[in-house]
Amino acid sequence: EAQVTQNPRYLITVTGKKLTVTCSQNMNHEYMSWYRQDPGLGLRQIYYSMNVEVTDKGDVPEGYKVSRKEKRNFPLILESPSPNQTSLYFCASSDTSGGYNEQFFGPGTRLTVL
Amino acid sequence: GDSVTQMEGPVTLSEEAFLTINCTYTATGYPSLFWYVQYPGEGLQLLLKATKADDKGSNKGFEATYRKETTSFHLEKGSVQVSDSAVYFCALSGLGGSYIPTFGRGTSLIVHP
């Protein structure tokens, strides 16, 4: 089954404790990205990656890091989480051929930083 | 820059009512247009799409027509069900070869029995 998986689905942590949210896709997609979703603000892109070893900042990259060492994986790293990073996070991937690019989303990770 | 504007919600309807969620876009060129749906507790999933002017996307009773002259892609359904309660996102992509999509803020739909 074609899918994007994220782990964990729920995470409660404390300020300053480094964490990683994993994202993996099994569709051989080149493009992957991370979003956060907050009430009233819609989806905001954090980082994206056009292919292995190619990453770039989205609209709200501060406080986040990413890496793309393999095509299928795109982890999101919070080196020193703060309460304002409490949010619902989504990973997405898409093919870059064919003229249009449907986004495939993971199920989301709800993060609470105390 | 490119942008997508959706009507603010929540939109509250009774079952079997007609639904319209407005979406307009600003873009220099001819993007592909999408509607995504997010059911409670889930990620977004593609509902329908249109890749060129006058195309009509349809799925699960929902329809939207790519109107270049009005730069719009309004979502419609003739008779909503309680199970349609979700958040709906309009989006565009494909401008200038860019794969980075632009999303609207989302419109919450609540359907009462």
Side-chain angles (χ1 to χ4, degrees), chain A residues 13-19 63 78-83 85 111 113:
Chain A
T13 190
V14 296
T15 299
K17 186 177 181 181
K18 180 179 179 179
L19 65 93
L78 284 71
E79 295 266 2
S80 183
S82 63
Q85 293 178 298
L111 172 65
V113 183

Side-chain angles (χ1 to χ4, degrees), chain A residues 10-54:
Chain A
Y10 302 91
L11 179 60
I12 300 174
T13 190
V14 296
T15 299
K17 186 177 181 181
K18 180 179 179 179
L19 65 93
T20 299
V21 184
T22 65
C23 172
S24 183
Q25 50 93 5
N26 62 2
M27 295 167 279
N28 202 37
H29 286 165
E30 295 84 6
Y31 181 86
M32 298 186 74
S33 61
W34 277 102
Y35 293 88
R36 59 179 290 174
Q37 184 179 22
D38 301 289
L41 298 177
L43 288 173
R44 293 182 292 170
Q45 192 178 54
I46 302 170
Y47 269 95
Y48 64 94
S49 170
M50 297 300 291
N51 214 322
V52 175
E53 302 292 1
V54 180

